[in-house]
């Protein structure tokens, strides 16, 4: 399921964008089976939204691929993602392109989680995160 804002039509004022809270409420409903692939790409999540998505997915094993590309995710989001990949072993693919994970200790936080024996990721996209040779 694609919950991203990429490609949304902005010219029609009658088209109201669905808020992050509405998207998360839809996904969190008890009878809602989540799809294997979940995309929040370019949804302006920032750290707060990333933390909310990670909390939602913590115990949900049906999601195997998560796309959070282009969401201004930084340190607090990296901490939540690190916790998620340690706890939710169903997630195999994580797309984090075009965030800000090269700043602060965000990259180190994620790398520590990836080194954990609990982490089951087989694909991680960190392109365009300003990660330098120290990160």
């Amino acid at each position: 399921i694609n919950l991203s804002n990429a490609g949304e039509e902005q010219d029609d004022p009658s088209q109201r964008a669905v808020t992050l809270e509405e998207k998360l409420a839809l996904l969190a409903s008890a009878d809602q089976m989540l799809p294997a692939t979940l995309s929040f790409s370019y949804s302006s999540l920032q750290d707060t939204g990333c933390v909310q998505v990670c909390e939602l997915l913590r115990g949900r094993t049906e999601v195997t691929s998560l796309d959070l590309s282009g969401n201004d995710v930084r340190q607090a989001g990296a901490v939540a993602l690190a916790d998620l990949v340690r706890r939710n072993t169903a997630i195999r693919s994580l797309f984090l392109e075009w965030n800000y994970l090269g700043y602060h200790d965000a990259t180190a936080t994620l790398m520590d989680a990836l080194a954990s024996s609990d982490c089951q990721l087989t694909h991680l996209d960190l392109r365009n995160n300003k990660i330098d040779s120290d990160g």
Side-chain angles (χ1 to χ4, degrees):
I1 188 170
N2 186 348
L3 296 168
S4 72
N5 288 341
E8 281 189 356
E9 185 63 46
Q10 300 296 324
D11 295 335
D12 185 353
S14 68
Q15 295 293 324
R16 182 181 66 82
V18 177
T19 67
L20 173 62
E21 289 75 23
E22 291 170 326
K23 292 174 185 179
L24 291 173
L26 171 69
L27 293 174
S29 58
D31 60 345
Q32 177 72 29
M33 178 78 167
L34 296 180
T37 300
L38 193 58
S39 176
F40 280 95
S41 63
Y42 301 95
S43 294
S44 303
L45 294 180
Q46 301 180 327
D47 279 339
T48 303
C50 181
V51 169
Q52 291 175 311
V53 169
C54 290
E55 288 173 357
L56 171 74
L57 297 179
R58 187 170 291 143
R60 303 296 293 262
T61 59
E62 62 269 39
V63 176
T64 58
S65 179
L66 178 61
D67 187 349
L68 297 175
S69 300
N71 277 294
D72 194 22
V73 175
R74 297 170 188 248
Q75 178 63 26
V79 169
L81 286 163
D83 184 58
L84 178 66
V85 298
R86 282 188 191 109
R87 293 176 183 249
N88 187 333
T89 58
I91 296 178
R92 300 285 193 251
S93 298
L94 187 56
F95 298 88
L96 299 172
E97 182 182 12
W98 290 110
N99 284 289
Y100 290 94
L101 299 173
Y103 297 101
H104 309 293
D105 293 326
T107 307
T109 300
L110 276 174
M111 293 306 112
D112 287 345
L114 295 174
S116 164
S117 61
D118 295 327
C119 179
Q120 298 296 314
L121 282 181
T122 57
H123 179 86
L124 176 63
D125 184 348
L126 290 173
R127 291 176 292 157
N128 302 307
N129 271 284
K130 307 246 187 246
I131 299 171
D132 61 17
S133 60
D134 294 332

